[in-house]
Amino acid sequence: MASILNNRIRGKNIVITGASGGLGEQLAYLCAKNGANLFLLARNKRKLDKIVATVHQQYAVKCTAFALDVSQGEQVKQVFLKIMKQAGTIDVLVNNAGFGIFAEAKNTDSADVEAMFSVNAVGLITCTQQVIPSMSKQQYGHIINIASQAGKIATPKSSVYAATKHAVLGYTNALRMEMSQVGVYVTAVNPGPIRTGFFQTADPGGSYLENVGRLLLEPEKVAEKIVRVMLSNKREINLPRWMNSIATLHTMMPSIVERLGKKAFFKK
């Protein structure tokens, strides 16, 4: 794991949703290594407790876990009240919880549509609303929303997932302007596919991983990029660069990109 990356977060209180594995877990370890106190949130408390034990064994920081389903609004409010009571302040919120299901629009189940929006978009917004008042009052803090390159360029078989991430980017871009008035930073993280458990749900058949496995980002490397910018005024993190270049080109010449990339886009 990388050496110390960011002294700004030493002694700060960081909340991470979706922290029971993958990118969230790696963020937890790296934030702890950089001296931050952690509040880890996810549905699976057993996995969280193992991460907390590892953090306490390796680093001299505070680390607390709460079971949380971000799609449950009242539960979100109660958990954040507990965090504020314990910590007094939240310095960084990382909205990492999310999932996707790859299917053509005609085959997408309505329950899956509702679930993806409830977690990826509504859950993210609900968590963010819990920290806006305190961060605004203290005129300090950082909200980091894990979006996706799918929020910039939609591809076949991910229509609903892409829609949720477009929603996240829209919300993040508006929030950034609002919070800039009170000195709070807002960052969107737009990674391509990451080598995590995400694909156990999104691609149970394994065809997408088989096609793009060599292009997957490593969660440790993505975590490093995020931790480096915590408590700094960074608008976006886009990974990998080549994929973001395609998304940027798509905004200027969508028809050409969709025509030339059609074969690749269908490799899910």
Side-chain angles (χ1 to χ4, degrees):
M1 186 173 286
S3 58
I4 300 302
L5 299 173
N6 187 346
N7 281 316
R8 293 184 300 273
I9 66 173
R10 182 169 298 278
K12 303 301 183 183
N13 298 317
I14 298 178
V15 176
I16 304 172
T17 70
S20 60
L23 177 59
E25 180 179 2
Q26 295 306 315
L27 283 168
Y29 294 143
L30 201 49
C31 287
K33 185 170 185 176
N34 282 263
N37 300 312
L38 298 170
F39 291 89
L40 307 182
L41 313 179
R43 291 182 301 173
N44 193 320
K45 183 66 160 50
R46 182 180 57 82
K47 289 184 178 180
L48 288 178
D49 287 340
K50 289 183 178 180
I51 295 169
V52 169
T54 300
V55 168
H56 284 157
Q57 185 179 38
Q58 297 184 13
Y59 308 107
V61 300
K62 298 176 183 177
C63 185
T64 305
F66 291 102
L68 175 65
D69 181 345
V70 299
S71 70
Q72 303 301 309
E74 190 57 38
Q75 190 181 130
V76 170
K77 295 175 184 177
Q78 293 304 315
V79 167
F80 274 82
L81 282 173
K82 291 178 182 177
I83 294 172
M84 289 299 294
K85 186 174 181 179
Q86 286 190 28
T89 183
I90 295 172
D91 300 296
V92 180
L93 168 64
V94 183
N95 283 307
N96 175 64
F99 78 101
I101 297 174
F102 291 162
E104 291 188 16
K106 64 183 179 183
N107 297 325
T108 303
D109 185 83
S110 59
D112 291 337
V113 173
E114 184 174 348
M116 276 187 272
F117 270 98
S118 294
V119 173
N120 298 359
V122 178
L124 178 147
I125 292 169
T126 305
C127 289
T128 301
Q129 288 175 328
Q130 309 315 303
V131 304
I132 287 175
S134 60
M135 286 187 177
S136 297
K137 184 177 180 179
Q138 68 196 21
Q139 297 193 337
Y140 178 81
H142 198 168
I143 298 165
I144 300 174
N145 293 335
I146 309 301
S148 171
Q149 286 294 326
K152 293 195 165 191
I153 177 170
T155 57
K157 301 182 183 178
S158 61
S159 57
V160 177
Y161 177 71
T164 67
K165 294 303 184 176
H166 275 72
V168 168
L169 280 179
Y171 177 76
T172 303
N173 291 339
L175 181 68
R176 183 185 301 109
M177 289 186 280
E178 293 177 8
M179 299 305 287
S180 68
Q181 299 181 96
V182 291
V184 174
Y185 303 132
V186 178
T187 300
V189 181
N190 302 304
I194 306 174
R195 195 182 303 279
T196 68
F198 172 90
F199 294 101
Q200 294 173 8
T201 300
D203 178 44
S207 59
Y208 183 69
L209 278 179
E210 184 178 341
N211 287 323
V212 303
R214 62 188 177 83
L215 303 176
L216 293 181
L217 297 165
E218 297 301 328
E220 298 88 350
K221 296 297 183 182
V222 179
E224 286 180 20
K225 297 283 188 182
I226 296 169
V227 171
R228 283 183 190 275
V229 306
M230 284 181 173
L231 295 176
S232 70
N233 192 15
K234 180 72 172 178
R235 188 179 192 280
E236 289 187 346
I237 297 173
N238 294 293
L239 300 167
R241 290 182 180 179
W242 66 266
M243 188 174 289
N244 188 62
S245 296
I246 293 174
T248 301
L249 187 62
H250 181 263
T251 63
M252 297 183 289
M253 298 181 291
S255 296
I256 293 175
V257 172
E258 288 169 9
R259 185 174 70 251
L260 295 177
K262 184 176 181 179
K263 184 176 181 181
F265 291 157
F266 270 93
K267 286 189 174 182
K268 281 196 183 75

